Amino acid sequence: MTGGRLFKIYALAYLVFLYAPILLLPIFAFNDGTIIAFPLQGFTTKWFEAMFGNATLHMAVKNSLIIAVSSAVMATCLGIFTARAATRYNFPAKGGIVGLVMLPLVLPEIIVAVSLFGVLLGLGIPLSIWTVILGHVLICTPYTVAILNSAFQSLDRSLEEAAYDLGESRWSTFRLIILPLVAPGIVSSLLISFTISLDEFIIAFFLAGTEPTLPVYIFSQFRFPQAVPVIMALGTILVILSIVLLTIAEYYRRRGIAKSGGKDTGGFL
């Protein structure tokens, strides 16, 4: 058996192992039985009806949406400033500073969560959805910087210099010339940050206090067997939402590369 054939078999087995559980979500979400096992008991939509009628779940979704939107906007703003500085200017300890910004990418989330938990308690700051936003901004910012670095690096600097020659200020050049050119990267970073924040569990578990997010709520419901099918229905909707958001982000990423004339070296999807 050739190496190429072995690689194809391995890749196929890996994809099946990775995505088969996700494909099972809608199957059990429409299953009439409360036990997650085969054979199936029949088709039903009552789990979706129960999900939409759950007030506690609605509150968790509301909290997660507030956190995800706030984290995405703040992390993207920080990513714009960092990427702009890293790709346009030289300053002392530039590599070290950018490395510190990107450090949460390689740190275990449990370490970040425990550290933030200890610091916030030490400062006397009560745990709430706002402390979760703080943690999510910390872990989302490196992703936005990675996306926006590529967008800013592909800019033609002569356009900026031409705007200066025509009398534009630095702020107006940044607002009218640079931001529109990197807009696809900004949209991509917003969507990726939103998805990461919406799905994140560990930091939310430590920092949410009495205001649980959606992942924390889902985790708590697995103690009750009768609630598992409702979670399957919820998981089905979340998977669809994540795929839609990532697809939109990839579309804008490719659009930005095509607009700048760069070469596509791979992306989210």
Side-chain angles (χ1 to χ4, degrees):
M1 186 177 293
T2 64
R5 186 182 178 88
L6 282 174
F7 178 76
K8 290 180 180 179
I9 294 174
Y10 168 77
L12 180 61
Y14 174 79
L15 291 174
V16 170
F17 175 78
L18 186 64
Y19 291 108
I22 297 177
L23 296 176
L24 290 175
L25 275 176
I27 294 177
F28 289 116
F30 290 102
N31 180 36
D32 194 32
T34 57
I35 299 176
I36 308 303
F38 290 101
L40 301 177
Q41 302 300 313
F43 180 85
T44 184
T45 58
K46 65 182 180 181
W47 308 123
F48 289 90
E49 296 170 4
M51 177 188 67
F52 288 118
N54 191 323
T56 306
L57 174 59
H58 295 169
M59 181 59 66
V61 170
K62 178 183 176 182
N63 290 340
S64 283
L65 289 177
I66 292 173
I67 292 169
V69 171
S70 302
S71 300
V73 172
M74 294 172 66
T76 299
C77 289
L78 292 174
I80 291 173
F81 301 148
T82 305
R84 174 62 174 170
T87 58
R88 182 66 175 83
Y89 304 104
N90 290 316
F91 47 88
K94 173 181 174 180
I97 293 173
V98 175
L100 286 175
V101 173
M102 304 300 289
L103 190 60
L105 278 177
V106 296
L107 284 177
E109 278 194 27
I110 186 69
I111 301 300
V112 176
V114 171
S115 300
L116 286 173
F117 180 75
V119 169
L120 292 172
L121 287 185
L123 294 175
I125 299 176
L127 300 180
S128 66
I129 62 175
W130 303 112
T131 55
V132 179
I133 291 173
L134 176 66
H136 283 189
V137 169
L138 180 64
I139 64 170
C140 288
T141 299
Y143 292 94
T144 65
V145 172
I147 295 170
L148 291 167
N149 262 339
S150 176
F152 278 104
Q153 284 173 350
S154 64
L155 285 178
D156 186 354
R157 190 169 295 184
S158 63
L159 296 175
E160 183 178 351
E161 294 172 352
Y164 294 151
D165 292 339
L166 292 172
E168 293 288 351
S169 64
R170 288 185 177 272
W171 166 243
S172 61
T173 299
F174 183 76
R175 179 172 58 88
L176 299 174
I177 305 299
I178 297 174
L179 281 183
L181 290 174
V182 299
I186 293 174
V187 173
S188 294
S189 66
L190 283 169
L191 293 172
I192 292 299
S193 299
F194 179 87
T195 303
I196 292 172
S197 177
L198 190 66
D199 294 342
E200 201 282 327
F201 169 77
I202 297 176
I203 289 178
F205 182 79
F206 278 89
L207 303 183
T210 58
E211 301 177 89
T213 63
L214 186 57
V216 175
Y217 171 82
I218 291 174
F219 175 77
S220 68
Q221 291 303 297
F222 276 103
R223 294 177 297 172
F224 311 105
Q226 67 274 15
V228 173
V230 178
I231 299 303
M232 292 293 178
L234 176 61
T236 301
I237 293 178
L238 290 178
V239 167
I240 295 173
L241 177 62
S242 297
I243 292 173
V244 170
L245 289 177
L246 286 172
T247 301
I248 295 173
E250 177 67 3
Y251 166 77
Y252 278 100
R253 187 195 68 83
R254 295 185 181 185
R255 181 181 176 185
I257 292 175
K259 190 175 182 179
S260 62
K263 182 179 179 181
D264 192 355
T265 58
F268 305 120
L269 301 177

